[in-house]
Amino acid sequence: MTICHYWLVYAPPVAEKVLEQEVAVVGVVSKVIGSGTRPYVTLDLKQLGQYKVPWYRAIRINASLSGELPAELHETVLSGSAILKPFRSRKNFTVFDAELYAFRSQIFYKGRIAVSEVIAGEQKASRAVYRDWVAEAFEGLHFGWFYYVLLTGDKSAIAQADKDHFKSLGLSHLLAISGLHVAIVFALSFALCKFGLWLFWPHLSQWHNYQLGYFVFALGLSGVYVWLSGLQVSAQRAWLMALLGACCFLFARQLSPARVLLYALVVILVANPFAVLNLGLYFSFLAVVTIFFVFRTLMQESEHTSKVKLLCYLQCALFVTLLPLTLYSYHGFSASSILVNLLVVPLLTVVIFPLLLLHTLAVLIMDKAVLGPFDALLNSVYQWVNSFPYHWWQTGTVSIEVVTLGYLALLLCMCAVTRIFAWIPLSAGVIFSVLERPPDWQVDVFDVGHGTAVLVSTQGKGILVDLGASYFSRYSLFDNVIKLYLEANRIRLLHTVISHDDSDHNGGLADLYRYDGGRSLGLFHEGDGKALCTLKTVTMDKLTIESLWPVAPMNSDNNNSCVIRVSDGNTNLLLPGDIEQLAEHALLALQGGKVPADILIAPHHGSNTSSSMAFVSAVAPRWVVFSRGYYSPWRLPHEEVVERYQLIGSRMLDTAEEGQIRFKITGTDVQSETARDRKSFWFLR
C-alpha cells in the first residue's frame, strides 16, 4: 500500500533527463519566500512540459522568477519556461530536515523560471480568500497573529520571538491546529445550532428531536475548519473521532474510546501512509491516549471527581506522557507548562474561541471589532508572564533509544500488574545514557551548501570557524543551523574565527552579533568580524588552537584567509579557509612544520586554484573534507584536485554528498559519521 501511494502521489512526475533542458510550466504562486528583483516563490504546478497534473496530486517547485511581474504575486497564475533540478537541500544532525519537509509538502523541484505570461486577476482559491479576510478582521490587534493562527492554521506570519515565547511557556501546541481546537469548534457549532433553533423556532424544538441536525451542522462546520486550516494530521484525527462518536450516538451503538482512536488512525494511515513521518501524529495520538486513561482511572475511583482536580490530573499526565517526545523534538521542556496550560486551556475554550466567533460575526455583519479591550488585557498579562525568566530548560539531545525506553516504562506503569517491572526500561535508559561516553573532542563540518562552517567542541565548549551564507536577507545558516545545533547540544561558544570577508563564510555575521554581542570574536578578531584574524594561540581544555596565517595582508581576500590548526597532541585538524596556491607556498615556507594534519578541510572548497601538490603532500591528511553545494556552478571539487588527494591515499568526504560530517576523536582513535547515513530514507535521493 505504501509503495502504491508513493508512486501515485509522491513519486517525481517526470524523469530527470526531461529537466536537462528548458521545460514549459504553468502554475499558481502559493507562497512568496523572498522578494527583490528576482523573487523566490513556491509554485503549485498545473502543467510541467507535457505532463498535466491530475486532480489528486500536488506538484510544487521552489523557483526564482524573472520577467515582467505584478506587484502582488500570491495566488497569481504564471506561465513560462523553467530550468529545474530535483529538490535537494542541506542535511545536518539535530536541526530541521528541509528535504523531509519538502517531501511531505510535495515540493519536487527547484530552479529558475522566465515568466512569459502573467494571468492575474483570476479568482483566488477559497482558502486564500478566507485567510485574507481573517487577517484583515484582526488587523491592528496585539494578538492578531495568534487569532489568525487559531482560525486558519497558517503559521507563516508568526514572528520568531513569539514562537520562542510560546515554546518557553509550553504553548507551542496552540500554534498547530489540534484536537483541542477542533473539539472547541465542534462544541461551539453544536451549541450554536441548538441555540439558533431554540431562538427562531422555540415551539418546534419542544416537539421534535433535532439531534441529527445538530450533529450534521457541527460536523460540517468543524470539517470546513479542518480543511481551511490545512488538513493537519491532529485535526483530521479529531474530526474523524467526532464523526465516529456522532454515528455511535445516533445509531445507538457502542465503541470503546480505544477502538474509536484506532479506527481514526487506520483511516489516516490508509489515506496517507507517509503521515508516520509527521511528529504531530505521535503528539496527537499520545495526548488522546493519555486523556482517555486519566478519565477512565479517575472515573473508576469516583464518579464525582471535581473538574479542577480532573484538569490538574490531566495536565500533569499530559506533561509526563509527552515529555520524552518533547525532549527528542525540542531538546528541552517548559518548566511552567503545567501551570500555564491549567490557566490557558480553559481560557481558550471558554473565552477566547467564543470571543473570536463573536468578533468575526461582528466584523462580517456590522463591520465592527469587539476584541479590542480583551486583546489589550491579554497582551498585558502575556508581557507580565514573559518577564519571568527560566520558563524553558534546555536538556540537550535525547536519543530515540532513550525515548523508546521511556515510553516502554510508561506503558508498564499503566497496569498495576506490570508496574513493578517499569524499573527495567528506566534502568536501561539510565545505563544507556551513562555508558554513552562522549569523545575527547569533536569536529562538526556543517552542510551549509557552498560555504564553510566548522565547529570544534570539547566538554561543552566550542570554537566556530566561519558562519556559512545568508540568503534573501532573511535566511541565515548561522541562525537556522549552527545556533540551533549549539543550543540543542548545550555547547558554549567561546571563540569564533571568520576566515575572510566573503559572504559564503561570514554571511551570518549580523546574527552572530545578535547571538553573543560579538563576544566570541574578541580573541582572534578583536570584536570585528570583518577584520583579518590575528596570530594567536589559545587552549580549550586539552586542545591547542593556533592561527598560522596571515602574517601580513596579501593581494586577495582568499589569500588573506585565516588558517587555523587544532591539535590535542595526537590528532591534528587544519582549516585553511580559501587560501590559494600563492598563500599555500608562503605558508609552507613559514609554518611548514605545523601543517601536517589528520583531518583537512580542503582549501577553497576543492577549487584547482588551491590544493597544490606541494601543499597536499605536506599536509598528507587521512581525511579531506570538501565543503560545497550540491548544484555547484563551478563543478567543485575539480578533478585534478581529487586526483592529488587520491595520489596520497586520503579518504575524501563531501558535504554535498554526505551532509554534515562529524569526527569523534578519543585518544588516537578517530571515528567519522555523516548526516545522510544517519538520516536516510528510501524515498529520498
Side-chain angles (χ1 to χ4, degrees), residues 144-356:
W145 63 269
F146 179 53
Y147 310 139
Y148 173 79
V149 171
L150 288 178
L151 293 181
T152 67
D154 179 17
K155 294 182 282 188
S156 62
I158 309 177
Q160 187 59 47
D162 289 316
K163 285 184 181 179
D164 293 339
H165 288 153
F166 265 57
K167 185 181 82 167
S168 68
L169 293 171
L171 297 176
S172 292
H173 62 98
L174 298 184
L175 301 180
I177 303 303
S178 65
L180 173 66
H181 303 74
V182 177
I184 294 171
V185 171
F186 181 88
L188 287 175
S189 305
F190 191 93
L192 182 65
C193 183
K194 196 170 184 178
F195 175 74
L197 191 64
W198 173 83
L199 186 65
F200 292 104
W201 295 285
H203 300 294
L204 285 177
S205 61
Q206 293 176 7
W207 296 100
H208 296 276
N209 186 348
Y210 293 103
Q211 296 286 1
L212 177 60
Y214 302 154
F215 276 116
V216 169
F217 181 79
L219 284 169
L221 204 59
S222 58
V224 169
Y225 174 67
V226 170
W227 178 76
L228 288 172
S229 60
L231 293 172
Q232 297 182 33
V233 169
S234 53
Q236 293 179 45
R237 186 268 309 156
W239 189 83
L240 287 169
M241 291 182 68
L243 176 63
L244 287 169
C247 291
C248 289
F249 179 84
L250 292 171
F251 295 105
R253 298 294 179 92
Q254 283 191 345
L255 278 178
S256 67
R259 186 165 292 185
V260 171
L261 185 63
L262 182 62
Y263 287 163
L265 178 62
V266 169
V267 171
I268 288 172
L269 293 182
V270 168
N272 182 11
F274 291 98
V276 296
L277 301 173
N278 190 339
L279 280 174
L281 178 81
Y282 304 98
F283 275 106
S284 178
F285 278 86
L286 278 171
V288 176
V289 168
T290 303
I291 292 169
F292 286 165
F293 179 76
V294 169
F295 268 90
R296 190 190 69 177
T297 303
L298 291 182
M299 290 302 105
Q300 286 176 349
E301 292 178 2
S302 172
E303 294 184 0
H304 305 289
T305 304
S306 71
K307 293 181 179 179
V308 174
K309 181 181 178 181
L310 179 62
L311 192 59
C312 290
Y313 270 108
L314 193 56
Q315 287 300 330
C316 292
L318 285 169
F319 175 81
V320 172
T321 304
L322 299 179
L323 181 61
L325 200 55
T326 301
L327 295 178
Y328 176 75
S329 305
Y330 301 108
H331 319 298
F333 67 95
S334 172
S336 57
S337 64
I338 295 177
L339 179 60
V340 171
N341 276 283
L342 280 171
L343 299 173
V344 172
V345 171
L347 181 69
L348 183 75
T349 306
V350 179
V351 180
I352 295 178
F353 251 106
L355 279 178
L356 291 184

Side-chain angles (χ1 to χ4, degrees), residues 38 58 88 112 114 129 169 186 250 264 289 292 299 318 365 374 398 439 466 523 540 548 666 680:
R38 293 184 64 127
R88 187 181 176 98
R112 303 189 304 273
V129 172
L169 293 171
F186 181 88
L250 292 171
V289 168
F292 286 165
M299 290 302 105
L318 285 169
I365 297 171
F374 173 78
V398 176
D466 285 335
L523 183 67
M540 193 168 70
L548 306 177
T666 302
S680 60

Side-chain angles (χ1 to χ4, degrees), residues 134-145 147 359 369 371-372 375-376:
V134 171
E136 186 178 345
F138 295 105
E139 190 175 2
L141 297 175
H142 295 290
F143 271 93
W145 63 269
Y147 310 139
H359 180 88
L371 262 179
D375 177 70

